Amino acid sequence: MEHESLFSLSNPEFWVLVALVIFFGLLVVLKVLPGALFGALDGYAAKIKAELDEAQQLREEAQALLADVKAQREETERQAAGMLEAAKADAQRLAVEAKEKLEEQIKRRAEMAERKIAQAEAQAAADVKAAAVDLAAQAAEAVLAARLAGAASDPLADAAISQLGAKLQ
């Protein structure tokens, strides 16, 4: 069998090639092929542009959200610093007040102790005075009793004894 060339009129592959070229030629002349191809490319480009626009919008929203979060963080840090300063000031104020109250309490207790000591001293002095009066009265009584035993009655001694109780008190 002889080999037939591709471009021979009796070769069926030649006619398939001719039909294919005519078909593509008609598609180009009728603007079906370029229109469909360019339409598909335009649709794909529009889809990509829409995705890019959406990505840009999401990026802008994310940047706005990030800026908002940063602002909130800065505000929170500012508030925390303010609260810390206020707490330090309150602690310092409370420490000063506690120190003042402690000093005042110590002063009051010292004054109270001094008053108790003064009262105890006054009581001790009064007790000593009373004991001295009692002792003096007993001594005077003993002396007078000894004198009276020797003498019947001395009006001067009787008057002195009656005045002695009033003077010692």
Side-chain angles (χ1 to χ4, degrees):
M1 181 169 186
E2 285 183 35
H3 246 281
E4 295 182 20
S5 102
L6 180 63
F7 295 108
S8 122
L9 292 179
S10 61
N11 188 355
E13 293 169 353
F14 171 74
W15 290 110
V16 170
L17 178 66
V18 170
L20 189 60
V21 168
I22 292 172
F23 177 72
F24 280 123
L26 281 174
L27 287 178
V28 169
V29 169
L30 297 176
K31 297 184 180 179
V32 173
L33 184 62
L37 182 63
F38 292 137
L41 289 175
D42 287 343
Y44 188 67
K47 181 181 173 186
I48 290 173
K49 184 173 181 345
E51 288 177 359
L52 286 174
D53 290 343
E54 182 180 356
Q56 179 66 27
Q57 181 182 1
L58 289 174
R59 181 173 184 231
E60 290 172 359
E61 288 176 4
Q63 286 177 341
L65 184 61
L66 178 63
D68 188 39
V69 168
K70 283 182 180 179
Q72 286 178 355
R73 187 190 82 214
E74 289 172 0
E75 177 64 26
T76 302
E77 287 175 354
R78 222 177 359 260
Q79 287 177 353
M83 293 169 103
L84 184 61
E85 289 299 319
K88 284 180 181 178
D90 284 347
Q92 191 173 21
R93 181 183 49 81
L94 289 174
V96 168
E97 287 178 4
K99 184 179 178 183
E100 289 174 356
K101 285 181 182 179
L102 181 62
E103 289 173 356
E104 183 179 321
Q105 190 176 25
I106 289 171
K107 184 180 176 182
R108 274 197 318 260
R109 287 190 180 183
E111 288 174 356
M112 199 163 69
E114 288 175 3
R115 275 186 268 148
K116 284 184 178 181
I117 290 170
Q119 286 175 352
E121 285 177 351
Q123 182 66 37
D127 289 346
V128 168
K129 199 178 212 182
V133 167
D134 286 344
L135 188 59
Q138 288 173 1
E141 184 180 338
V143 168
L144 289 178
R147 274 193 190 170
L148 287 180
S153 172
D154 188 8
L156 255 175
D158 291 338
I161 290 174
S162 65
Q163 289 177 359
L164 182 67
K167 285 184 179 181
L168 289 178
Q169 290 184 16

